[in-house]
Amino acid sequence: QVQLVESGGGLVQAGGSLRLSCAASRRTGSNYVMGWFRQAPGKEREFVAAISRTGGMTFYADSVKGRFTISRDNAKNTVYLQMNSLKPEDTAVYYCAARRRSWNDGPLYDYDYWGQGTQVTVSS
């Protein structure tokens, strides 16, 4: 089992930026496709972004395209989510996730390991 710890959440005004980080417990970053999800109060968890094992491929939910950027540093065993032009509707708990299967093996919203989440609040 992979332990994932998110950080970087906080309170920001609309139009601002935040950078989330997700650190894995062991240096196996290149072995996992990584993703970010979020869950707003009263809503289901939704997919935000995914990145392939080496970072060569990324995929984003339509709601965040052009505003969010997922990246990874396998040497640091860390995945990032740069969030720009934040909107109040981006307010949610953001979760980091890892999956054992490869990029093209199954839906990119199917993951095996999850972090505890970090709160992002965007004020209007």
Side-chain angles (χ1 to χ4, degrees):
Q1 182 174 338
V2 176
Q3 300 295 123
L4 303 173
V5 180
E6 303 94 337
S7 63
L11 175 64
V12 64
Q13 293 184 342
S17 299
L18 284 174
R19 188 190 191 195
L20 306 183
S21 298
C22 172
S25 60
R26 53 177 179 252
R27 301 186 66 82
T28 57
S30 63
N31 293 325
Y32 299 95
V33 171
M34 302 294 295
W36 285 97
F37 293 75
R38 66 187 183 186
Q39 187 168 23
K43 296 184 178 180
E44 297 294 322
R45 181 192 67 193
E46 66 174 339
F47 170 80
V48 175
I51 188 166
S52 60
R53 294 175 178 180
T54 60
M57 297 292 293
T58 58
F59 185 74
Y60 299 90
D62 288 341
S63 59
V64 306
K65 284 181 179 178
R67 299 189 298 120
F68 291 10
T69 302
I70 188 171
S71 61
R72 67 190 301 162
D73 185 339
N74 287 341
K76 297 180 179 179
N77 218 20
T78 301
V79 179
Y80 305 95
L81 185 68
Q82 178 66 46
M83 305 185 295
N84 298 327
S85 301
L86 283 163
K87 306 173 182 179
E89 49 263 46
D90 294 318
T91 296
V93 176
Y94 283 72
Y95 297 92
C96 178
R99 67 185 248 164
R100 294 173 296 210
R101 66 186 67 188
S102 62
W103 180 260
N104 57 3
D105 185 9
L108 290 178
Y109 49 80
D110 186 11
Y111 289 78
D112 302 296
Y113 308 109
W114 298 85
Q116 295 300 307
T118 185
Q119 177 70 48
V120 172
T121 302
V122 184
S123 62
S124 60

